[in-house]
């Protein structure tokens, strides 16, 4: 990020989440893409976030092993049992 482009970079980076989520109109998307063609730092941030989002989406589609699910249920049950009022 150079000093002269820092304001523009800040504006671009502020919209990255919406850009990656597909929530921006075509004009805003084009502005981000054009900026990233000329700004390697912002391009790197966008690419890194794009990869991170992709990995998170992949991880969400993989079912947890039953042993992990059972440990989670047991932990929740212990927490609930501990917080129940004693009679």
């Amino acid at each position: 990020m150079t000093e002269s482009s820092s304001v523009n970079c800040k504006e671009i980076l502020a919209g990255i989440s919406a850009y990656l989520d597909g929530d921006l109109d075509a004009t805003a998307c084009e502005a981000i893409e054009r900026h990233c063609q000329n700004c390697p730092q912002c391009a790197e941030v966008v690419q890194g976030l794009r990869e991170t989002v992709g990995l998170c989406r992949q991880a969400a589609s993989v079912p947890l092993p039953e042993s992990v699910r059972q440990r989670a249920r047991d932990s929740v049950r212990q927490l609930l049992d501990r917080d129940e009022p004693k009679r």
Side-chain angles (χ1 to χ4, degrees), residues 12 19 24-33:
I12 294 298
Y19 170 73
L24 296 180
D25 62 35
T27 303
C29 289
E30 290 169 6
I32 289 174
E33 291 163 4

Side-chain angles (χ1 to χ4, degrees), residues 20-63:
L20 293 174
D21 290 342
D23 293 339
L24 296 180
D25 62 35
T27 303
C29 289
E30 290 169 6
I32 289 174
E33 291 163 4
R34 192 170 40 255
H35 176 82
C36 288
Q37 288 175 350
N38 298 310
C39 182
Q41 293 91 348
C42 287
E44 187 175 328
V45 169
V46 170
Q47 185 57 36
L49 288 173
R50 182 177 280 129
E51 290 172 8
T52 300
V53 168
L55 290 171
C56 290
R57 286 183 178 147
Q58 285 177 358
S61 67
V62 176

